[in-house]
Amino acid sequence: MAKTLEQEKLTVNENQSDILLEVNGLKKFFPVKAGILQRTVGHVKAVDDVSFYVKKGETFGLVGESGCGKSTTGRTIIRLYEPTDGKVLFEGKDISNLNEKQLKPYRRDIQMVFQDPYSSLNPRKTVGTILEEPYRVHKLYSKAERKERVEHLLEKVGLNPDLRNRYPHEFSGGQRQRIGIARALTLNPKLIIGDEPVSALDVSIQSQVLNIMDDLQKDFGLTYLFIAHDLGVVKHISDRIGVMYLGKMMEIAPKRRLYSNPFHPYTQALLSAVPKSHPSEVKKERIILKGDVPSPSNPPKGCVFHTRCPKVMDHCKQEIPALKELEPGHFVACHLYE
Amino acid sequence: MAKPEINLPNDINAQTLGKRRSLLSIIVAKFFQNKLAVIALVVLSIIITSAILAPLITPHDPNLQNLRHRLEPPGPEFWLGTDHLGRDLFSRLLYGGRVSLTVGFVAMIGAVSIGTTIGAIAGFFGGKVDAFLMRLVDVIISFPNIFLLITLVAVLEPSMEILILVFALLSWTGTSRLVRGEFLTLKNREFVLAARTIGMSNTRIIFGQILPSAMGPVIVAATLAVGNFILAESTLSFLGLGIQPPRASWGNMLTYSQSVTIFRNAVWYPTFPGLAILITVLCFNFIGDGLRDALDPRIVEK
Amino acid sequence: MSTLLEIKNLKTHFFSKDKVLPVVDGVDFKVKKGETLAIVGESGSGKSITSLSIMGLVPKPGGKIVEGEILFDGKDLVQLSENQMYKVRGNDIAMIFQEPMSSLNPVLTIGEQITEVLIYHKKLSKKEARQKAIELLKIVGFARAEGILDDYPHRLSGGMRQRVMIAMAMSCDPKLLIADEPTTALDVTVQAQILELMKDLSKKFESSIILITHDLGVVAELADRVIVMYAGQVVEESPVVSLFDEPLHPYTQGLLSSIPKLDEERKRLTSIAGNVPSPDSFPKGCRFNTRCPHVMQVCIDKQPDLIEVKPGRKSRCFLHEEGVNSNG
Amino acid sequence: MKKLLLLMAMVLFLSIFAVACGGGDDAPEEPADESPGETDATEEDEDEDEEEATGPQYGGELVLGSMSDPVMFNPYYSADSASADIEGQLFNGLMTSNTELEMVPDLAVDYPEVSEDGLVWTYRIHEGVLFHDGVELTAEDVVFSFSIPIHEDYTGPRASTFQYLESVEALDDYTVQFTLSQPDAAWPITASYSILPKHILGDVPIADLEDYNEFNLENPIGTGPFKFAGWDAGVSVTLEAHEDYFEGRPYLDKITWRIAADQNALVLLLETGDVDFINVPSSELATVETFDHVNISSTLALNYSFIGWNLQNPLFQDVRVRQALTHAIDRQEIVETILEGEAEVAHAPASPLSWAYPDSVPEFHFDPDRARELLAEAGWEPGSDGILEKDGERFSFTVLSNDGNTTRRDIGIIMQQMLGDVGIEVTPEQMEWGAFLDKINPPNHDFDAIILGWNLGLDPNPEAIWATWEIEQGLNFISYSNERVDEIAKENSSIVDQDERAELLAEAFQIIAEEQPYTFLFYPNQHLGMVNTLGGFVHHPRVTFYRVNDWYISE
Amino acid sequence: MTTYIIRRLVMMVPILIGISILSFGIMYAAPGKPTVLNLDPSISVEDRERQMERLGLNDPVHIQYLRWMGNVLQGDLGHSFTRKQPVTKLIMDRLPNTIVLMVVSTFLAVIIAIPFGVLSATRQYSKLDYGVTFTSFIGLATPNFWLGLMLIMLFSVQLGWTPVGGVSTLGADFNLLDRIHHIILPAFVLATADMAGLTRYTRSSMLEVINQDYIRTARAKGFRERTVVYKHGLRNGLIPIITIFGLMLPTFIGGSVVVETLFSWPGIGKLFIDATFERDYPVIMAITMFAAVLTVLGNLIADILYAIMDPRIEY
């Protein structure tokens, strides 16, 4: 019998010092308001009982298609959304129910890089002001020191420090994303949550940013929770990867295991759907899923994937499969493996 | 530590940033592309300046009656003629402009301040606060405005201050909806989320992050509102509820000239205050239109 | 195979008060009957405007074809009157767009939107058009096609809408289908469905396809030949396999190597330095010179031509002119 | 401009003399607004058309301009002039007033017989007077009509007009006798109230009469020269000739009041020929004079305008100050400019048209020097800013008028300048009519000075305005009080002999004129504009639509 | 949809109650009492006092309010103080005129504004566009009483083309042409501001729509520009206009106060103004509430139309 994540957690607890972030049974439901009346008629189960952990210094990739809840998970962890249920343990401390004031010290430790390089920087402020803001909020450093730090950070992300006084609109997308990364770094965080940080960028720019993130991780000893839909990108940057579907965690595995030997039918389909990187490989047989992702406001009963699963069984439609550890570090939520 | 693949940052920046253009300069440049708006701005500046400088410019005391020179046509002595009490129309027009513009501007500031505050609170906090405030807005909007104006002004006795107060109290709903809408969009913009992730306080987020970005449409609406208040004052004057004599306002000047006999025998009397209102409101509309284009956030993001 | 479309020295520029943006600046290529030609490029490369130029739908005001020919079946589309273009668009040349969510009219039913093309171009009766629409919907994979007809677009998911778009585009058996980033907005699993569908259709309808995309994976899946665009110009033209095997132009090389791939693992991505230049600041000389790792003085001084380096393969780079092997 | 219309007629002049006002056919006031006018006060003349030659002829219709809808057609309940105008055509009273403002028989065959003690009045009425429905009017109808306002269930506003009427009885079919509880000089006027048909209203309980719309709104029946034909709310009221009118069929077939929203509209309607007859404000006189098809008839209106000084305010308690204020205001200038000369400067609280108008009263003509002198005598000296001061208090006050009345508005403004010349600071202020009344009326008395006008009734009793006991509740809102005036006010109404009474009244008017609690401004002219084909018109100073049965259209 | 409408109607109740309390309060706070105004001053204090008592005006305000409310709930709007008639009759006599005026001016506004707005948008930056823009701005900037009087002077007096005022020729039988003749000028004056506003809205809404992807799709289908604009664009462009339109409804009532006065149009706007100055409480309340109901209903109708026009909205 495979261990569930709960059990895994116990084993993890033994060397707790390795764990930076632990998410346990996290739920985030959004009320569905109907029409102009704004009455709650149901809930979008954006994140429904998701558990995973991120070890210090590693990059944990969270992949899934749109609407799978990966971004919501990230935002709930950083408390942009109030979790509906579940725990978020940061360095062993549950931060999921702290109020804004209690949370403030943790704000320095967890930072986020956003997807859209155009909307993630306040268009009315200069880059310098944007980057100094975290210091002002936390009342850190003198004016001169702040300036110096900002210049240093700009250099770190490959930008000319002289551009401090420029406005975001004067920069290209890639440059803005670097500024976004610099802002995340201002407070010397331990964990950076990247919410699709490169998906809005041109391919040639995307690789620059990925490389910078790589470098910074080494330089600053950062831990990344990297959220993306591009399996290639996730594979490149992550150490371990979690696959989400309709608010549920389907599979968690170290990167190589996941890509070479995916257990979950969804993961298999997902990997197979990725366009091949060379025309010669195109001929290979691929798994084509039927239909679209169901609406998270009305997810299927049982295994949420059963409506599209090529290997669906009767009890998939009734029972929700638990996330179990099939091999060390490789968790799957699928009735096939019971 | 820059890696060779990244290339030297200095080179990149030198090449792609080009000449420095601040936001303001872009907005100004964009605004100046709209010829009508620029003309309107110039005309309005002249009007406002002459209203401010009225005591220096006007050749006569605006309230001095000269009963021997009633309804005189425009001429060297009275540039725009005189009214039915022999007062110099040009002087009254300038002084009336002070009153009308003051009503317009102060009422606008009042309405916009109330509207912005309420809209910001409703939009940012959402939930019950939002629901309550929006119901309030519903009530005020559903209240037939002109009726409320008539009743209120009748109750409170029409003075400039009361008029301003009533205008401000009744006209903030549009701004509040606008601001609320902007806040609803902006509060989920990533730069606001980013501000939250660094632990910034709500007040600071509202005033430091969201509000400046939401001001564009508000400024446009405010510009148009000034014109509308000037018009509203004239309509109330027509109904006998505007600025009271002997203080001149464009509205009451226009109203006092609404007589068949004056239209026939002294057509300059209704014409000048009418034109003053028309041109001023027109200017505000054109400027508002120009600002709408200039402040469109898309120009920055493209 | 005969040529269906030939574009010669196409220049589509955008005019604003104080500047001219050469968004498409001297593009040449051919599309043969039945083939799928991919146009690859990053944002600002002019690939979308090229396709809109073919359709005669250059955004107005501001955009204008200033030079060049677009020979379609022997006619120069640039010279056609607006009235003549009406008969070409949607009939001989159809187009599908990137955003399936916004490309369908939200207030008209799916049925209305498909049948109106048939009624307009093929002069079918309402009933016939409806019948044909059902057939088309079945072809693009709707099992209950009749039901879909009376639905409004908002009730469909992105993938379904893109199928509708395809059905609409194919309804008049166009000789040429232009697909502008047809899968970019879709999820991977849905993208796979659509790619599969397009492959089937291109066989079934024997249409030529111009596939516009920034995703080399999609290119690999669908294309026969590839054109790589950069800063308003074609920098490389090649059959698909040889492009992936041996990219000629430094830009193509950079592009291919900067993509993280599933099937190989590299510690570090190769990347192209700098930014994609915007049309108001295209560099002088070779437009790639600001980012090219092999930049030479000549590249800054003058523009290279698109020359045929090998049979069927063209590249716009001085390296080839001087016989330097790009793989060096 | 606008508001004129809005406020309905009464806005314009408070009508006065409680007792005096209710004559059946005389509307309490005209919609004459600011319209002052100056013709020779004496000729309340027939401004008949020159083309008298054609002579009266039957037929034709006339459209009369009006600015407001009537309220109802029952004079015992209505209180507005639009209703009164129409009621005047629908009903007759026993008596009526003539252009000399004398009471003359109407339905009564002759003047009444009055008992020695003045308490019993006996009227004989015409035989064969028919209501519009063909039923003959008898003494019973008179009894019925006069029983209404003295009935305990009466809900209308006229009870006090009839306060001295004790009983009314029919001596026979054509003779009716009234018994008063005390002599009442105003009785002849009260006796002119309309006679309503008992055969229609007799069964309606008096308590329900006010809301008995079948009669009051839908089908009023009277004996008047015209009968009700239709009322299109807000648009028009139409009357048709009463074929069997006891004085003979009126010449006109039909008269229609067309309701227009404002003065401008009326003038324009007159110009375009849509309306044949309007009240012309003096401000529009110049325009109407240019209309070729229109004749204008002008006469002194039975009213005067004044500035009232609030005697509760210490500023105005010194008679010298009040006289000085009058001296400082150039009333002749006001009359000649804003009234276009269409008025006569006033000096006393009575109209030159009235029999009670005194031969002479003290007059205070424009004389700023005299004003300064008087003010200095009263202890007011120029302060540092040129404004008079006394005991550290500046002579500064607000003069209030009702908005919508442009003449009063302009008088306020002019007054500011004129009084400014003698060192008095005046702030003119206008208020909406309702608020204005609330402010000046008891118990508030909250004003410094007001500009207002009185529409005079037929009876010149000064009691309602000048008697001390009217301060608390009545129309004496300036709080004037003089013992002798009080005595006269009490006495005069029981003196039936007109000459004797006139003498007494003159004394009161002289006292008031001397004390200047008001600065009497002017007696305005009123102007009526009518198509020049209208014949038979006689200009009555109080009744716009006077003897319409004599009007005719000549070709 | 039905349940949605019912729910919305239910939601109107608290709003309307709020408005009624507010307006009742304001009305009573106004200086001046009805009887002082509606009665001739010659009427004695006792007579006046008796009237006050009879009308219940001596009771505390809240009692009066509750009494009023109670009567309204029984369908009785009361009697006018000054006009001695049931308020319902007063309003019903004039309402048709106001409604006709509103409908016609709305119609005018729509048939003029929408085509010009669309033309202006489709030919952005053309001479026509500038002309329409300029004209509509002038329409927005003109005080309408001024415009009204000038038009009367020009068309009615100088040219004699239109009557000076009124609903129809006096005494004439119903005649459609005559009605049109009378209504054209007031309806135009009432419509100007909204016409101008609507033109601007239509223009910007159409501009927005014309840049939408589905318009490009329609063009790519080979449709003529006219088909593209009118079939694919206009319906989408009109959707936001409908909301504006709902909001415009009450402004028409407001504007009618001025226009009805100018043109001697016997409608409820004029009645309201008169009632306000006369402190005719029952009439003021009835018309205020009527206007409030109309406003709220206008919004509801706009929302319903919105839902009909836009299939994306579901209830």
Side-chain angles (χ1 to χ4, degrees), chain B residues 63-65 67-68 70 84-85 87 157 238-240 244-246 256 258-261 264-265, chain D residues 1-3 264 268 271 283-284 287 333 337-338 340 403 409-410 413-414 416-417 428 430-431:
Chain B
N63 292 322
L64 181 78
Q65 307 130 29
L67 295 174
R68 301 286 160 200
R70 300 163 59 232
H84 63 292
L85 292 179
R87 292 173 291 189
E157 300 170 20
F238 175 72
L239 296 172
Q244 292 303 298
Y256 299 155
Q258 301 295 298
S259 134
V260 176
T261 304
R264 286 181 185 229
N265 303 338
Chain D
M1 179 91 305
K2 174 58 0 115
K3 199 82 94 25
N264 283 329
L268 295 175
E271 177 170 17
S283 59
E284 306 295 344
T287 301
E333 175 87 355
T337 54
I338 42 178
E340 312 281 355
D403 61 6
R409 181 194 70 214
D410 293 343
I413 295 168
I414 291 173
Q416 178 182 37
Q417 189 164 317
Q430 286 210 298
M431 286 180 81

Side-chain angles (χ1 to χ4, degrees), chain C residues 103-134:
Chain C
S103 293
L104 288 169
N105 192 329
V107 302
L108 300 178
T109 61
I110 302 297
E112 285 173 281
Q113 298 192 52
I114 299 180
T115 54
E116 63 177 358
V117 199
L118 293 162
I119 295 168
Y120 180 73
H121 285 298
K122 296 292 177 216
K123 312 285 179 243
L124 297 187
S125 71
K126 263 203 168 149
K127 218 173 150 193
E128 293 164 339
R130 197 174 159 88
Q131 208 45 52
K132 175 91 200 238
I134 294 173

